[in-house]
C-alpha cells in the first residue's frame, strides 16, 4: 500500500488555523483548578516562615484550633514521619550533596517562605484568619545569600549536616570527551584573550494563573487536580514520596494558565494538600495568593558566569572556558541540579571552537529554591557566549557581525559535531542573518550611530546582535541517562477513529498555552485525511492518557507530535488491511490519498471513515484483525532538534537619565517545518517579551536578612504591551532530519535569543564611554551608574597621566543595585 497523507481540501500542515482552544477560553468556559468545588470541599492555607534561616523553638496552634470553621491545624512535627522528602530527579554527580527536603519544616527553616504549618477550614478566609492565630518562636541562624560567599569554605552553612554549601561540581572537558583540545593550552597560546564575568539575576516565573491543587479522596482513588505542567510525573512522584499506590492516584491538569517552567515541579503544597485530604477524608483545596507565588514558587536563573575566550588576531575563536556558580536556593527541587548543566551543551552555540571546558558548581543559599525557567540553562549559555562575541569584536575593533560570520558553522557543514559533544543535524545561519539584516537596515543604523557619537548626542544608539541555536525536544532517553537524569524522554500518543468517523487523539503532553489541541488536530488531519473539525485531542489526565512525560524543554511537537504521527500511520496501516479485505485486493495494490483507499487502476475504493464503521460492526474482518481502528505509539528520538535564528535590536540610551528605549527589534527564526504559522508567531512574541523582561525589567531581590522584597507586581516589574516595541519577525526554514515532520521547536526561542540582543544593544550604545557591561536588569539606575563610574574612571586615568588600570572584573562593578 502506498500512503500519501493529505487532507481532502488543502494540506493542514503550514496552514494558519485559528486555535480551537480560544473560543472556550475567551468566553470564560474554562476549567481552572480553583474553579473545582466538589461537595464538602475544605480550604487549605499555609503558614510561611518570615525569616530565612532559623531553628523552630516552638509552635502554638491551640488558639487556631479553636477558631470558627477550622477542621484541622497541622505542623511539620505532626507529619514528620509521613511526608517524606520532596523528590530531586537529577543527581548530576555520584557525590552530589542533597539535604532532606520536607514539604513542611520540622525543626528548622531555610528560606523565607518555607511552610511551617497549615490550616484546613470551611472557607479560604477562615483558613487565613486561623494562620494569624498560630504562634511560632524562631531562633535566628546566620543567613547565607551571596553565591560566591556561600561557595567559600569558611561560609556559614545552610544545612549544617552537609558540612558544605557546595552541592555538586560537574565538568565537561573536550580533551576527556575526545571532542577537542586542551583549553588551558589554547588560552596560553592565544593571540587574543578575553575574560569576563556576567551575572544572571534571579527571576520569578510570573504565570497568569496562581498555583492551585485540589485533592478528592472519596471513591476508589485519590483524584488530584493541579495547575501543573507535569501530571504524569506528579502522579509517580506522589506515589514514590508518600507511599500511596500509583494506581490509586489520578492526576488531572485541567486548564492551566501558563507555566514557563514554574509549574514543572512537584510542590510542597501538592503533597500537603494530599496529606490533609488523606487525614480528613474529604476534598481539600489550596490556591496560593500572588505573593505566595513570588515567595515560595521556585525561581529561575541566578548564576555567576566567568568566561575566558581565546582567539586569533583575525577574530577566529579557538577556545572557550566556562566556570559557573549556580544558586540552588535552600533545597534541590525536581530538576534543579541539572538546569545549569543543560547549558554546558550550548555555550559553544553556533561557533566552531577547537577546545572547550565547562565547570559548574551548584551552591546552596538561604533563598527560595531555583529550578527550570523558560529555556532552562540555554538562555544563560546563549547570553554568555553572545556577550563574549561582542566583547571579542570590541577588543579587535571589528564589527560584531563580522566576528560571528567568521566563526559560525557554514550551511554546507551540516551535520556538524560540536566541541560540546552534540551533533547539529541542520541549519542555515547565513540565510536567517541575511534576511534579518535586510529587514533591520543594519548598515543605515550603524551610520546613524556614528553620526550620533560624532555630534555627542545625549541619546546614543546601540545595536545588539544575537545569533543563536538551542537544543529542543528534551527527549533522547539515552542522552538523558548519560547525564544521570532520573527519567526517560520518550512520549506517547494514541489515535482512535470512532465508528462515526470522528477521531480522538490522546497525547501524553500537557498544554498550558502551547496550542496542542489545534496543532495535533492539524497533524492527524493530514495523516488520516479527515476534517480538522472532526478531531478531538485528549490530554492532561492520567486516567484517559495514562502514558506520557508531559510538557517542558520545547519537546511537545518534536516528541509528542511525532508520537501522534506514528500512531496515525499505524491506524492507516491497520485500516489498509481491512480495506484490502473488503475490496478483495492485496494491500500492495492499495493507495491511500486524502483519506481514501483506492485500488490501483480501478475506480474501486472506500474512505477511512467507512473502514472505521466496518471495523466497529466486525461483520467481515480479516483473520487476526481486532474490531477497531485504534493505534498507539511511543516515540523516543535519537537526537535533539536545533532551531536557530538571528535577533537584532536597536536601543536608544539616554546618557543623562540611563533610560533605555527599544527602537527596533527584528528576528528571523528557523524552527524547521511549521505546523501553524499563527501559533509560531504567538510563541515568538511571548518569548521575546520574557527575554526582554530579563534584560530590562525583572529581578527577584532579597534584603540583607533574606526577605524577598519583590513580592507583588508593584515591585517585580513584568512589562506590559506598552513597555515593549513592535516586533518584526520572519522565518527561514531548514527541516530537521531527526523526525518525519522536519519540525524543531519554538516555545523557548524568543526568550533565549532576545536577552543578549537587548543587553548587547545597551552596552553598544555606551561602550565609547568606557562601559563594557551593565548588570541585568539594565534599569535606568544601573545604566546611569555604569556611565557615571566609567566617566569617573576615565577622569582618574587622565589625572594619573593615562596610567589607570585597564583590568576588567567582568562588569559586575559597573552594575550596582537596582
Amino acid at each position: 500500500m502506498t500512503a500519501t497523507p493529505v487532507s481532502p481540501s488543502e494540506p493542514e500542515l503550514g496552514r494558519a488555523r485559528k486555535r480551537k482552544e480560544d473560543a472556550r477560553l475567551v468566553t470564560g468556559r474554562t476549567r481552572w483548578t480553583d474553579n473545582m468545588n466538589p461537595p464538602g470541599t475544605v480550604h487549605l492555607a499555609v503558614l510561611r516562615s518570615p525569616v530565612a534561616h532559623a531553628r523552630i523553638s516552638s509552635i502554638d496552634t491551640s488558639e487556631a484550633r479553636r477558631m470558627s470553621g477550622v477542621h484541622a491545624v497541622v505542623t511539620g512535627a505532626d507529619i514528620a514521619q509521613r511526608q517524606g522528602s520532596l523528590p530531586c530527579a537529577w543527581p548530576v554527580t555520584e557525590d552530589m550533596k542533597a539535604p532532606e527536603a520536607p514539604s513542611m519544616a520540622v525543626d528548622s527553616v531555610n528560606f523565607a517562605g518555607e511552610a511551617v504549618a497549615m490550616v484546613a477550614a470551611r472557607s479560604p478566609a477562615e483558613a487565613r484568619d486561623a494562620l494569624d492565630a498560630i504562634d511560632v518562636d524562631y531562633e535566628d541562624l546566620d543567613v547565607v545569600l551571596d553565591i560566591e560567599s556561600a561557595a567559600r569554605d569558611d561560609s556559614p552553612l545552610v544545612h549544617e549536616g552537609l558540612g558544605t554549601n557546595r552541592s555538586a561540581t560537574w565538568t565537561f572537558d573536550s580533551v576527556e570527551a575526545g571532542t577537542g583540545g586542551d583549553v588551558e593550552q589554547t588560552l596560553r597560546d592565544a593571540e587574543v584573550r578575553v575574560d569576563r564575568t556576567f551575572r544572571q539575576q534571579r527571576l520569578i516565573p510570573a504565570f497568569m494563573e496562581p498555583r492551585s491543587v485540589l485533592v478528592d479522596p472519596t471513591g476508589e482513588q485519590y483524584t488530584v487536580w493541579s495547575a501543573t505542567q507535569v501530571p504524569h510525573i506528579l502522579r509517580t512522584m506522589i506515589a514514590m514520596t508518600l507511599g500511596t499506590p500509583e494506581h490509586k492516584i489520578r492526576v488531572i491538569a485541567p486548564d492551566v494558565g501558563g507555566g514557563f517552567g514554574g509549574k514543572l515541579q512537584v510542590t510542597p503544597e501538592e503533597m500537603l494538600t494530599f496529606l490533609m485530604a488523606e487525614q480528613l477524608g474529604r476534598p481539600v483545596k489550596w490556591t496560593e495568593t500572588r505573593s505566595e507565588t513570588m515567595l515560595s514558587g521556585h525561581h529561575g536563573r541566578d548564576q555567576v558566569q566567568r568566561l575566558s575566550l581565546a582567539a586569533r588576531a583575525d577574530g577566529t575563536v579557538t577556545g572557550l572556558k566556562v566556570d559557573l556558580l549556580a544558586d540552588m536556593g535552600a533545597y534541590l527541587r525536581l530538576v534543579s541540579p541539572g538546569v545549569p548543566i543543560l547549558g554546558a551543551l550550548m555555550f559553544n552555540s553556533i561557533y566552531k571552537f577547537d577546545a572547550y571546558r565547562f565547570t559548574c558548581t551548584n551552591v546552596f543559599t538561604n533563598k527560595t529554591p531555583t529550578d527550570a525557567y523558560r529555556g532552562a540553562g540555554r538562555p544563560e549559555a546563549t547570553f554568555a557566549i553572545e556577550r563574549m562575541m561582542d566583547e571579542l569584536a570590541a577588543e579587535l575593533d571589528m564589527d560584531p557581525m563580522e566576528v560571528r560570520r567568521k566563526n559560525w558553522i557554514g550551511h554546507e557543514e551540516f551535520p556538524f559535531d560540536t566541541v560540546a559533544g552534540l551533533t547539529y543535524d541542520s541549519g542555515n545561519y547565513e540565510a536567517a542573518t541575511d534576511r534579518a539584516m535586510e529587514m533591520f537596515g543594519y548598515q543605515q543604523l550603524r551610520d546613524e550611530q556614528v553620526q550620533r557619537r560624532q555630534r555627542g548626542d545625549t541619546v546614543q544608539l546601540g545595536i545588539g546582535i544575537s545569533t543563536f541555536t538551542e537544543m529542543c525536544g528534551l527527549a533522547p532517553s539515552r542522552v538523558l541517562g548519560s547525564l544521570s537524569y532520573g527519567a526517560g524522554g520518550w512520549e506517547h500518543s494514541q489515535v482512535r477513529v470512532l465508528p462515526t468517523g470522528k477521531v480522538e487523539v490522546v497525547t501524553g503532553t500537557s498544554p498550558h498555552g502551547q496550542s496542542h489541541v489545534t496543532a495535533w488536530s492539524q497533524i492527524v488531519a493530514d495523516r488520516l485525511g479527515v476534517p480538522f473539525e472532526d478531531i478531538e485531542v485528549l490530554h492532561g489526565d492520567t486516567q484517559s492518557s495514562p502514558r506520557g512525560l508531559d510538557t517542558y524543554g520545547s519537546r511537545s511537537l518534536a516528541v509528542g507530535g511525532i508520537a501522534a504521527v506514528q500512531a496515525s500511520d499505524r491506524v492507516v496501516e491497520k485500516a489498509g488491511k481491512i480495506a484490502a479485505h473488503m475490496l478483495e485486493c492485496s494491500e500492495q495494490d492499495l493507495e491511500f490519498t486524502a483519506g481514501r483507499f483506492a485500488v490501483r487502476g480501478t475506480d474501486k475504493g472506500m474512505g477511512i471513515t467507512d473502514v472505521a464503521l466496518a471495523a466497529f460492526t466486525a461483520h467481515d474482518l480479516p483473520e487476526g484483525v481486532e474490531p477497531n481502528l485504534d493505534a498507539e505509539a511511543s516515540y523516543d528520538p535519537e537526537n535533539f532538534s536545533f532551531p536557530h535564528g538571528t535577533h537584532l535590536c536597536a536601543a536608544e540610551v539616554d546618557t543623562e537619565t540611563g533610560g533605555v528605549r527599544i527602537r527596533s527589534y527584528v528576528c528571523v527564526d528557523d524552527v524547521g517545518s511549521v505546523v501553524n504559522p499563527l501559533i509560531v508567531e504567538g510563541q515568538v512574541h511571548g518569548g521575546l517579551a520574557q527575554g526582554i523582561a530579563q534584560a530590562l525589567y525583572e529581578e527577584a531581590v532579597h534584603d540583607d536578612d533574606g526577605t524577598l522584597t519583590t513580592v507583588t507586581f508593584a515591585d517585580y516589574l513584568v512589562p506590559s504591551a506598552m513597555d515593549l516595541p513592535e516586533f518584526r519577525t520572519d522565518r527561514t526554514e531548514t527541516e530537521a532530519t531527526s523526525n518525519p515532520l522536519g519540525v524543531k521547536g519554538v516555545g523557548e526561542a524568543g526568550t533565549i535569543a532576545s536577552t543578549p540582543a537587548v543587553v548587547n544593544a545597551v552596552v553598544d550604545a555606551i561602550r565609547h564611554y568606557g562601559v563594557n557591561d551593565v548588570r541585568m536588569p539594565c534599569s535606568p539606575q544601573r545604566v546611569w551608574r555604569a556611565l557615571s563610574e566609567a566617566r569617573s574612571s576615565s577622569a582618574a586615568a587622565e589625572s594619573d597621566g593615562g596610567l589607570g588600570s585597564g583590568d576588567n572584573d567582568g562588569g559586575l562593578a559597573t552594575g550596582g543595585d537596582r
Side-chain angles (χ1 to χ4, degrees):
M1 181 183 71
T2 302
T4 308
V6 179
S7 59
S9 53
E10 62 178 293
E12 286 291 343
L13 294 187
R15 187 175 178 184
R17 281 279 192 183
K18 291 184 178 180
R19 295 189 347 138
K20 283 186 173 183
E21 299 91 329
D22 284 344
R24 183 175 57 81
L25 293 172
V26 300
T27 56
R29 293 180 288 116
T30 51
R31 295 176 66 249
W32 312 113
T33 300
D34 194 43
N35 293 154
M36 313 291 182
N37 288 291
T41 297
V42 298
H43 299 269
L44 191 70
V46 177
L47 182 67
R48 302 187 182 279
S49 169
V51 297
H53 199 200
R55 292 189 181 91
I56 300 173
S57 301
S58 65
I59 303 180
D60 184 354
T61 63
S62 56
E63 183 178 346
R65 295 176 190 276
R66 292 192 296 267
M67 293 182 69
S68 173
V70 171
H71 288 267
V73 181
V74 174
T75 68
D78 297 330
I79 58 172
Q81 303 305 313
R82 179 75 180 89
Q83 65 175 319
S85 180
L86 289 169
C88 174
W90 206 332
V92 293
T93 64
E94 292 183 359
D95 61 350
M96 184 181 83
K97 296 184 182 299
E100 290 292 305
S103 296
M104 184 178 289
V106 178
D107 301 313
S108 63
V109 293
N110 294 298
F111 69 95
E114 186 168 3
V116 295
M118 58 180 172
V119 174
R122 181 173 47 196
S123 69
E126 289 170 314
R128 287 193 293 268
D129 288 345
L131 292 185
D132 294 335
I134 299 174
D135 186 20
V136 185
D137 285 334
Y138 297 98
E139 179 187 338
D140 288 342
L141 299 170
D142 289 335
V143 176
V144 185
L145 300 175
D146 178 70
I147 315 175
E148 293 176 288
S149 299
R152 297 187 187 121
D153 292 336
D154 60 352
S155 171
L157 299 178
V158 177
H159 302 282
E160 190 141 344
L162 297 182
T164 179
N165 290 325
R166 298 179 184 179
S167 174
T169 297
W170 190 93
T171 300
F172 176 92
D173 192 296
S174 59
V175 172
E176 296 175 3
T179 59
D182 183 341
V183 77
E184 296 294 350
Q185 186 64 48
T186 303
L187 288 166
R188 285 192 294 270
D189 295 343
E191 296 174 355
V192 179
R193 172 171 172 161
V194 179
D195 299 289
R196 294 290 186 269
T197 299
F198 302 121
R199 187 70 167 86
Q200 285 277 325
Q201 78 269 40
R202 178 174 280 245
L203 300 175
I204 299 174
F207 34 73
M208 292 180 75
E209 177 207 19
R211 295 174 300 157
S212 183
V213 59
L214 167 67
V215 180
D216 187 349
T218 58
E220 295 299 315
Q221 61 183 181
Y222 290 88
T223 302
V224 180
W225 289 269
S226 182
T228 181
Q229 296 175 222
V230 289
H232 296 89
I233 291 173
L234 177 58
R235 178 182 65 170
T236 300
M237 291 304 179
I238 290 174
M240 294 177 69
T241 303
L242 301 181
T244 304
E246 187 174 3
H247 66 283
K248 294 293 186 181
I249 303 169
R250 176 187 183 186
V251 175
I252 302 170
D255 292 321
V256 176
F260 314 122
K263 293 173 183 173
L264 194 177
Q265 198 52 262
V266 177
T267 68
E269 294 81 11
E270 285 162 332
M271 297 296 178
L272 295 177
T273 307
F274 194 99
L275 289 171
M276 184 64 82
E278 180 184 69
Q279 175 177 321
L280 297 179
R282 59 192 301 173
V284 176
K285 182 167 70 175
W286 169 81
T287 300
E288 68 184 349
T289 65
R290 179 58 65 183
S291 291
E292 282 184 293
T293 301
M294 315 292 268
L295 188 65
S296 62
H298 78 246
H299 295 172
R301 312 285 195 255
D302 208 348
Q303 296 179 0
V304 172
Q305 306 174 311
R306 292 189 178 89
L307 290 91
S308 298
L309 186 147
R312 300 190 185 101
D314 68 353
T316 302
V317 297
T318 55
L320 181 65
K321 180 181 177 182
V322 179
D323 286 304
L324 296 188
L325 287 178
D327 192 346
M328 300 290 97
Y331 298 101
L332 301 180
R333 291 307 192 215
L334 190 62
V335 294
S336 303
V339 168
I341 306 305
L342 285 175
L345 304 174
M346 286 280 100
F347 271 88
N348 55 290
S349 189
I350 66 174
Y351 308 114
K352 296 181 285 188
F353 286 95
D354 299 325
Y356 173 57
R357 192 172 196 272
F358 171 95
T359 303
C360 177
T361 300
N362 292 337
V363 180
F364 293 114
T365 62
N366 291 117
K367 291 187 284 190
T368 305
T370 59
D371 208 294
Y373 176 63
R374 195 171 189 171
R378 288 105 76 211
E380 297 92 313
T382 300
F383 176 85
I385 188 59
E386 287 303 292
R387 288 287 295 112
M388 289 298 282
M389 296 305 284
D390 260 33
E391 294 304 298
L392 175 62
E395 187 79 16
L396 297 173
D397 195 25
M398 293 176 64
D399 184 281
M401 187 61 82
E402 181 184 350
V403 170
R404 288 167 168 83
R405 287 186 184 276
K406 179 178 284 288
N407 289 289
W408 67 37
I409 303 160
H411 69 275
E412 72 283 353
E413 297 180 84
F414 291 97
F416 186 88
D417 295 331
T418 76
V419 73
L422 294 180
T423 299
Y424 296 173
D425 65 323
S426 67
N428 191 329
Y429 310 136
E430 302 96 314
T433 301
D434 289 346
R435 177 62 182 139
M437 292 183 72
E438 177 188 352
M439 294 170 62
F440 191 62
Y442 184 86
Q443 192 55 54
Q444 296 94 313
L445 287 167
R446 283 290 183 204
D447 293 342
E448 180 184 342
Q449 181 185 54
V450 171
Q451 294 164 10
R452 288 197 187 200
R453 289 184 179 182
Q454 291 173 342
R455 291 195 304 263
D457 287 1
T458 297
V459 177
Q460 289 290 307
L461 177 66
I463 298 170
I465 301 169
S466 177
T467 51
F468 84 105
T469 189
E470 59 158 322
M471 46 186 274
C472 283
L474 190 62
S477 296
R478 289 179 295 279
V479 175
L480 294 177
S482 71
L483 295 173
S484 303
Y485 183 62
W490 52 267
E491 196 47 76
H492 190 81
S493 182
Q494 184 182 38
V495 174
R496 306 190 288 245
V497 185
L498 305 178
T500 56
K502 309 303 182 184
V503 178
E504 291 178 334
V505 180
V506 181
T507 179
T509 61
S510 180
H512 42 281
Q514 292 86 348
S515 312
H516 293 182
V517 172
T518 301
W520 274 227
S521 294
Q522 290 183 264
I523 290 169
V524 174
D526 267 4
R527 305 308 285 195
L528 300 184
V530 299
F532 169 83
E533 295 78 11
D534 287 352
I535 299 174
E536 184 76 15
V537 179
L538 308 177
H539 58 79
D541 184 339
T542 62
Q543 188 155 292
S544 63
S545 174
R547 298 184 185 89
L549 285 171
D550 308 316
T551 297
Y552 41 86
S554 295
R555 69 188 300 275
S556 293
L557 177 59
V559 189
I562 304 306
V565 166
Q566 291 185 338
S568 298
D569 291 347
R570 290 177 183 177
V571 165
V572 173
E573 182 181 356
K574 185 175 184 179
K577 296 181 184 298
I578 299 173
H581 177 75
M582 297 180 68
L583 294 170
E584 298 179 331
C585 69
S586 167
E587 288 182 57
Q588 285 68 39
D589 292 333
L590 281 182
E591 295 178 329
F592 180 69
T593 305
R596 181 173 174 80
F597 293 96
V599 182
R600 287 192 188 91
T602 74
D603 58 0
K604 294 174 59 178
M606 62 189 305
I608 195 169
T609 55
D610 300 321
V611 178
L613 182 61
F616 170 72
T617 60
H619 293 163
D620 185 21
L621 295 180
E623 192 70 29
V625 173
E626 297 175 346
N628 59 67
L629 277 194
D630 300 352
E632 55 188 314
S634 292
Y635 176 66
D636 194 351
E638 295 184 358
N639 195 8
F640 301 102
S641 63
F642 299 96
H644 66 84
T646 296
H647 289 227
L648 302 173
C649 175
E652 294 181 329
V653 177
D654 189 319
T655 60
E656 292 184 347
T657 67
V660 176
R661 183 181 78 90
I662 297 178
R663 176 171 137 182
S664 175
Y665 197 101
V666 166
C667 63
V668 177
D669 288 294
D670 189 327
V671 298
S673 298
V674 171
V675 173
N676 185 320
L678 285 180
I679 294 173
V680 169
E681 190 79 354
Q683 288 281 11
V684 169
H685 280 215
L688 292 175
Q690 246 165 329
I692 292 170
Q694 177 174 7
L696 297 181
Y697 300 106
E698 295 187 25
E699 182 177 26
V701 178
H702 293 79
D703 65 17
D704 291 342
D705 295 322
T707 302
L708 185 70
T709 61
T710 48
V711 292
T712 71
F713 284 150
D715 307 297
Y716 187 82
L717 304 181
V718 177
S720 70
M722 294 295 293
D723 300 305
L724 297 169
E726 180 180 350
F727 306 127
R728 287 184 292 152
T729 67
D730 202 352
R731 294 190 311 277
T732 55
E733 186 172 311
T734 54
E735 293 188 359
T737 63
S738 55
N739 64 74
L741 289 185
V743 297
K744 294 183 177 181
V746 69
E748 295 163 309
T751 303
I752 292 169
S754 57
T755 307
V758 174
V759 176
N760 277 340
V762 172
V763 174
D764 185 58
I766 56 178
R767 188 183 290 279
H768 59 295
Y769 291 101
V771 177
N772 64 17
D773 194 32
V774 179
R775 179 171 164 179
M776 295 185 293
C778 300
S779 62
Q781 183 187 35
R782 282 187 170 160
V783 174
W784 180 88
R785 184 172 295 176
L787 281 163
S788 178
E789 292 178 359
R791 286 163 173 160
S792 297
S793 297
S794 177
E798 289 179 10
S799 66
D800 289 341
L803 299 178
S805 171
D807 292 344
N808 176 268
D809 69 352
L812 294 183
T814 64
D817 297 329
R818 289 183 82 182

